[in-house]
Amino acid sequence: MRTAFYVSDGTAITAEVFGHALLTMFPAEFAHVTIPFVENPDLALQVKNRINDCYKTTGLKPLVFHTFVDEGLRQLISDSDGVCYDFLNTLVEPVQKELGMAPVPKTHRTHSMHEKTYDFRIDAVNYALANDDGANMKNFSHADIILVGVSRSGKTPTSLYLALQYGIKAANYPFVEEDMAKLRLPAELAAHKAKLFGLTITAERLSQIRQQRRPNSRYASVHQCALELKEVEQLYLKEQIPFINSTQLSIEEISAKIISRTGLKRQKY
Amino acid sequence: MRTAFYVSDGTAITAEVFGHALLTMFPAEFAHVTIPFVENPDLALQVKNRINDCYKTTGLKPLVFHTFVDEGLRQLISDSDGVCYDFLNTLVEPVQKELGMAPVPKTHRTHSMHEKTYDFRIDAVNYALANDDGANMKNFSHADIILVGVSRSGKTPTSLYLALQYGIKAANYPFVEEDMAKLRLPAELAAHKAKLFGLTITAERLSQIRQQRRPNSRYASVHQCALELKEVEQLYLKEQIPFINSTQLSIEEISAKIISRTGLKRQKY
């Protein structure tokens, strides 16, 4: 099996995202090794030796995805026996030409707390935690968005992802039987109707998820799930609440669709 | 101001991470526009027109970072008036040559729920939420890692990030006065000592963070913060618990350092 190294003088997250996107295009398995914070020549030499050892041991040249700001460190890694993909540098020149300005080398530029939006993201995480699952409905006025749906339809992980990744303050509220039976929004939600976004899901998938929580319960039965979902979907239509079906979607996909549909302002790019 | 477009037939997260890493190298501000799920020619034409309109309105060619699997859609965007950076395709050919195999086009390859590690990540988020802040200490046997530290030292957002991003089950425990005064681990932690990882922070920064929660309290005073931090750091040393100082670190950086120091197995690359 071929080994892929992701190496950087920062978190190596950019190298990972890029290398992963590239390698998943090929029908092969890889062994993955991430080495972040390679911040001095000693560490870079250790990494170079590790790459060379990997080549000696496996007989296959490792693929090395790296993002170094420091030219000397970059050169040390590029001199290894791995096949190096320096994708940032590959594209710096054309962008430089287009913008008519030179790049300014600086480490920890991305994924650092010095990004100006970092505090928004931490505040948003604290907000999402404090306003999960219908807690503190009086705080809804501070929400950027309020996700609604039946229990276990994906509201909590999506709220946390929106907060952590984009600094969006997402509250969430699980409809209870009374809301659904009466096809009525509770007053606290009705007061912030423009912020509501609904999630739905198929009854079969919801039942699977609920089974893990309370096996063989009425709560987890396909019948009960179907009933609740039918009612909330009617409520969404009646109240003109935008909604998406999350059955086949990851939290990244749900979040991207919500932002795209609502035009929510993100605190991070 | 120059506009940067991030366009994809998927979430556009890869295009964003890459474009962001590239653009932050330049001392300029950009307007950012992300357009995910451009899945058919009609949508691609709309995006092309939007790019062309932006050029007409601003007189500056937009920078377009795109990741399309579908060749026809990619071509439509490439034919726009924007300056297109097709970084995946730029590097597919050298990787193809090195691996000796052709890429297999397939949409939603990354950031989708069909990634085999997706369920681990959702389970880990549920675990982190249920085991936040010392809740359910009997569940520590299921933890991959247990973050410890004083109140507000960064344990909760780090636990959530480890879970969401990497599928790592992270519990966390805030030391209480009794633990610190006696320089002693509670029995539930002592039983899982190999899983403990400590966070610390400067007293000044901790005091700032606590001020937001309880202004002008003893809890938030620099004196009290310094006292608690001194005690937990002594405890870390006495019990040989690895720890890092989070004062200057983002949650991405803390997480990368923890994974790198502990060798924790990640469920996602």
Side-chain angles (χ1 to χ4, degrees):
Chain A
M1 193 189 295
R2 188 82 72 139
T3 302
F5 282 89
Y6 309 95
V7 191
S8 171
D9 40 12
T11 59
I13 292 173
T14 305
E16 285 178 350
V17 171
F18 174 74
H20 181 65
L22 194 58
L23 294 183
T24 49
M25 298 176 81
F26 293 91
E29 295 281 320
F30 299 89
H32 303 277
V33 180
T34 297
I35 312 179
F37 305 109
V38 180
E39 295 171 295
N40 60 53
D42 282 351
L43 288 171
L45 269 176
Q46 283 175 30
V47 174
K48 181 185 167 183
N49 291 335
R50 196 164 157 192
I51 294 168
N52 293 354
D53 284 348
C54 177
Y55 178 39
K56 261 183 228 146
T57 315
T58 62
L60 291 165
K61 286 195 172 188
L63 308 181
V64 182
F65 301 95
H66 63 79
T67 56
F68 279 95
V69 171
D70 184 274
E71 178 56 37
L73 299 177
R74 183 194 307 153
Q75 200 52 54
L76 277 167
I77 302 297
S78 297
D79 289 344
S80 74
D81 294 337
V83 187
C84 291
Y85 300 98
D86 184 1
F87 63 97
L88 273 184
N89 253 34
T90 308
L91 282 177
V92 159
E93 208 183 284
V95 174
Q96 175 171 0
K97 217 170 139 187
E98 175 61 30
L99 295 178
M101 65 173 74
V104 179
K106 192 168 148 247
T107 43
H108 308 306
R109 195 185 309 269
T110 54
H111 307 114
S112 131
M113 71 180 300
H114 303 296
E115 287 191 300
K116 62 188 172 201
T117 58
Y118 184 71
D119 290 343
F120 282 104
R121 292 170 56 215
I122 297 301
D123 286 351
V125 169
N126 290 329
Y127 182 86
L129 284 172
N131 297 280
D132 184 35
D133 217 25
N136 293 315
M137 291 167 77
K138 65 179 174 4
N139 286 344
F140 281 172
S141 54
H142 300 295
D144 295 318
I145 188 167
I146 304 165
L147 300 181
V148 294
V150 301
S151 167
R152 300 277 109 182
S153 53
K155 300 178 302 300
T156 296
T158 304
S159 302
L160 289 171
Y161 189 82
L162 286 169
L164 255 177
Q165 211 61 32
Y166 300 118
I168 290 171
K169 285 187 178 165
N172 72 74
Y173 175 85
F175 286 120
V176 295
E177 296 216 12
E178 198 189 328
D179 307 326
M180 292 183 284
K182 293 188 180 164
L183 277 190
R184 202 173 64 183
L185 289 176
E188 293 90 338
L189 289 185
H192 301 284
K193 213 172 122 181
K195 295 182 183 178
L196 304 185
F197 198 100
L199 293 182
T200 191
I201 185 171
T202 63
E204 291 68 28
R205 176 70 186 137
L206 182 61
S207 168
Q208 276 174 9
I209 297 170
R210 288 185 173 183
Q211 283 288 353
Q212 289 171 18
R213 202 185 219 188
R214 287 192 228 148
N216 305 317
S217 60
R218 170 170 166 273
Y219 166 81
S221 70
V222 175
H223 177 78
Q224 174 66 18
C225 291
L227 195 75
E228 293 181 21
L229 290 166
K230 190 179 156 203
E231 286 169 341
V232 297
E233 286 174 27
Q234 281 178 349
L235 187 55
Y236 295 155
L237 293 171
K238 180 179 163 227
E239 299 285 350
Q240 296 182 289
I241 298 168
F243 69 100
I244 54 177
N245 187 315
S246 68
T247 312
Q248 293 289 326
L249 301 175
S250 70
I251 43 176
E252 285 88 342
E253 290 170 326
I254 298 169
S255 301
K257 279 182 193 283
I258 289 173
I259 292 171
S260 170
R261 286 267 294 270
T262 59
L264 266 180
K265 186 173 170 328
R266 299 157 44 156
Q267 297 294 348
K268 189 194 174 188
Y269 267 95
Chain B
M1 192 187 299
R2 188 82 72 137
T3 302
F5 282 89
Y6 310 95
V7 191
S8 170
D9 40 12
T11 60
I13 292 173
T14 305
E16 285 179 348
V17 170
F18 173 73
H20 181 65
L22 194 59
L23 293 183
T24 51
M25 298 177 79
F26 293 92
E29 295 282 320
F30 298 89
H32 303 276
V33 180
T34 298
I35 311 179
F37 305 109
V38 181
E39 295 171 298
N40 60 54
D42 281 352
L43 288 171
L45 268 176
Q46 283 176 29
V47 174
K48 182 185 164 181
N49 290 336
R50 195 163 159 193
I51 294 167
N52 293 354
D53 285 347
C54 177
Y55 178 40
K56 260 183 231 148
T57 315
T58 64
L60 292 165
K61 287 195 171 189
L63 308 181
V64 181
F65 301 95
H66 63 80
T67 56
F68 280 93
V69 171
D70 184 274
E71 177 55 37
L73 299 177
R74 183 194 307 153
Q75 200 52 55
L76 277 167
I77 302 298
S78 297
D79 289 343
S80 75
D81 294 337
V83 187
C84 292
Y85 300 98
D86 183 0
F87 62 97
L88 273 184
N89 253 33
T90 309
L91 282 176
V92 158
E93 206 182 285
V95 173
Q96 175 171 0
K97 217 169 140 188
E98 176 60 32
L99 295 177
M101 63 174 75
V104 179
K106 194 169 147 244
T107 41
H108 308 307
R109 196 185 309 265
T110 55
H111 307 115
S112 128
M113 71 180 300
H114 302 295
E115 287 191 301
K116 62 188 172 202
T117 58
Y118 184 72
D119 289 344
F120 281 106
R121 291 170 56 216
I122 297 301
D123 286 351
V125 170
N126 290 329
Y127 182 87
L129 284 172
N131 297 278
D132 184 35
D133 217 26
N136 293 316
M137 292 168 76
K138 64 179 174 2
N139 285 344
F140 281 172
S141 54
H142 300 296
D144 295 319
I145 188 167
I146 304 165
L147 300 181
V148 295
V150 301
S151 167
R152 299 279 107 180
S153 53
K155 301 179 301 300
T156 295
T158 305
S159 302
L160 289 170
Y161 189 82
L162 287 169
L164 256 176
Q165 212 60 33
Y166 300 119
I168 290 171
K169 285 187 177 162
N172 72 74
Y173 176 84
F175 285 121
V176 294
E177 296 217 11
E178 196 190 330
D179 307 325
M180 292 184 283
K182 292 187 180 164
L183 278 190
R184 202 174 62 185
L185 290 176
E188 294 89 339
L189 289 184
H192 300 284
K193 213 172 120 179
K195 294 182 183 178
L196 304 185
F197 198 100
L199 294 182
T200 190
I201 186 171
T202 64
E204 291 69 26
R205 177 72 186 135
L206 182 60
S207 168
Q208 277 174 6
I209 297 169
R210 288 184 174 183
Q211 284 288 353
Q212 289 172 16
R213 199 184 222 191
R214 286 191 228 151
N216 305 318
S217 61
R218 171 170 165 272
Y219 165 82
S221 69
V222 175
H223 177 78
Q224 175 65 19
C225 290
L227 195 76
E228 292 182 22
L229 290 165
K230 189 179 155 203
E231 286 170 341
V232 297
E233 287 176 26
Q234 281 178 349
L235 186 56
Y236 295 155
L237 293 171
K238 179 178 164 229
E239 300 286 349
Q240 296 183 289
I241 298 168
F243 69 100
I244 54 177
N245 187 313
S246 68
T247 312
Q248 292 290 327
L249 301 175
S250 69
I251 43 176
E252 285 87 342
E253 290 171 325
I254 298 169
S255 301
K257 279 182 193 282
I258 290 173
I259 292 172
S260 169
R261 286 268 294 272
T262 59
L264 265 180
K265 187 174 171 324
R266 299 156 44 154
Q267 297 293 347
K268 189 194 175 190
Y269 266 97

